[in-house]
Amino acid sequence: KKEIDDPLHLALSIQKMVVHQVGSWRLPLDQAGFICRTPEEVWNSNAGTKIEKTVLLASLLQASGLRAVPVAAIPDQYFDEAVGSLYMMKGFGVQVRLDDETIYLSADHLHEQDLAYSFRGHKLLILDGAIESVRTFEPPQINTEIIYQGKMVNNENEKIEGELHIKLTGAANPYFGLSKDTSFAKRYAQGAQDVELKMLNPNESAFTLDLLIKDVFQEYGDYIFVTVFEARQGTSSWGFPYIETGRQAPIRLRDLITEKYFYTLEIPEGYELVSPSPDISIDNAVGRVKINTRQDGQLVTVEREIELMQEIIQFGEFDLFNAIWQPWMNPSLKELVFKKAD
């Protein structure tokens, strides 16, 4: 504590110690007999269950002078103040009240944004035997937004240079990472050189990256290939190209998200775009998608945008979802192919 004056950085440092230096027992609460050992016992054994590490983290934060209390996440559909069950607890975290904000931390893993954003659809129940009545909190109801806008040119050394403007909100906002070091923003694009932070708060961040990228153009004979880059924490990381025909159970999406990419790219002189030039625009009850690629001389413009407006996709909505999801995830629409003009 003597070395760290900023309360947020102090809380994150203590969290890092608990996550990395105290082992995790993957033992469900019911299989542990709903027993939680004391922080001292967990510290001495150097390992604990999720709830035990959560209570330990809260205790260490309190000992450092911060206001911290463990919380349990209970799905909204199960929560009832009059009737409670330990089986309803589906996750744990620590609420930390700082000078001008309240954050939530995991004792089990590190995260670059407030843990509360991962508890959408849950009540956060304070676990404090000293309070006389049930106290709950609502997670932030801010949708995730990822926006990339860039202009890139082909320089004399077969490298791409330019500027990329990035805006991230909700669960995509790396608030903790950027608070510790603005150079964390370089993780969001290949070839990032300099960072200019435009905005940073718990809900939203915005920054500009100067880019210098090598090996963007993959040459094969008279053809060159370029893959349109996307945010690493966007929908491309969700891991499924469509909802299978035989599925009947509803599917829960990771997030309500808006994801947008707008790029202009200067290509080498004498090449023309030969890959598909889609002009797709679909808008339905589940969400919307827009994909457009066009060439004007040496400039190629790429627009990609998707918005998902429902967390749960019902059986009768699978066709609507696939109508926007399949073109968005289609790899051939994420790759640009150019051919040297005859």
Side-chain angles (χ1 to χ4, degrees), residues 107-286:
D108 200 48
H109 66 278
L110 299 182
H111 41 92
E112 303 305 334
Q113 174 57 309
D114 194 325
L115 182 68
Y117 284 93
S118 65
F119 285 137
R120 181 193 291 269
H122 292 69
K123 291 284 191 299
L124 300 177
L125 174 67
I126 297 294
L127 301 178
D128 186 351
I131 60 177
E132 297 180 357
S133 60
V134 173
R135 292 184 61 192
T136 62
F137 292 84
E138 298 283 347
Q141 300 300 311
I142 297 175
N143 291 350
T144 298
E145 191 174 44
I146 299 171
I147 300 177
Y148 278 44
Q149 184 174 357
K151 182 177 181 180
M152 289 152 276
V153 299
N154 180 37
N155 71 13
E156 297 177 353
N157 298 315
E158 297 184 351
K159 298 177 182 178
I160 290 293
E161 59 183 352
E163 280 190 344
L164 182 61
H165 307 284
I166 298 178
K167 175 184 174 182
L168 304 166
T169 69
N173 175 25
Y175 175 57
F176 294 160
L178 288 173
S179 295
K180 290 181 288 187
D181 186 358
T182 56
S183 67
F184 185 87
K186 293 182 180 181
R187 301 186 183 192
Y188 285 81
Q190 177 187 356
Q193 303 296 307
D194 298 316
V195 179
E196 182 181 357
L197 189 62
K198 302 285 189 178
M199 177 184 296
L200 180 62
N201 60 56
N203 297 327
E204 179 181 337
S205 65
F207 47 88
T208 297
L209 301 176
D210 288 332
L211 303 181
L212 183 62
I213 313 173
K214 299 183 295 183
D215 303 323
V216 174
F217 299 116
Q218 304 296 319
E219 295 191 34
Y220 298 93
D222 290 338
Y223 295 86
I224 57 176
F225 297 77
V226 179
T227 300
V228 178
F229 56 86
E230 301 174 298
R232 59 186 176 86
Q233 79 280 42
T235 50
S236 61
S237 67
W238 289 12
F240 62 96
Y242 59 90
I243 299 179
E244 296 180 0
T245 305
R247 184 186 177 98
Q248 296 186 359
I251 184 169
R252 178 181 289 275
L253 303 180
R254 290 191 189 180
D255 206 351
L256 298 178
I257 189 170
T258 298
E259 196 169 345
K260 300 179 183 179
Y261 303 95
F262 184 91
Y263 303 125
T264 58
L265 172 64
E266 181 187 275
I267 62 173
E269 187 173 356
Y271 281 85
E272 59 183 0
L273 183 68
V274 295
S275 55
S277 299
D279 187 10
I280 299 170
S281 182
I282 301 171
D283 193 334
N284 59 40
V286 172

Side-chain angles (χ1 to χ4, degrees), residues 27-84:
L27 188 63
L29 190 59
D30 58 332
Q31 294 185 23
F34 299 104
I35 295 173
C36 179
R37 296 175 299 159
T38 66
E40 182 179 4
E41 290 174 318
V42 176
W43 180 266
N44 290 334
S45 67
N46 201 35
T49 62
K50 284 189 176 182
I51 189 172
E52 289 176 339
K53 288 187 65 175
T54 299
V55 174
L56 172 63
L57 175 58
S59 299
L60 293 174
L61 291 168
Q62 291 168 5
S64 72
L66 298 175
R67 293 174 293 169
V69 63
V71 300
I74 300 175
D76 287 337
Q77 66 267 34
Y78 299 149
F79 182 79
D80 186 334
E81 285 195 20
V83 180

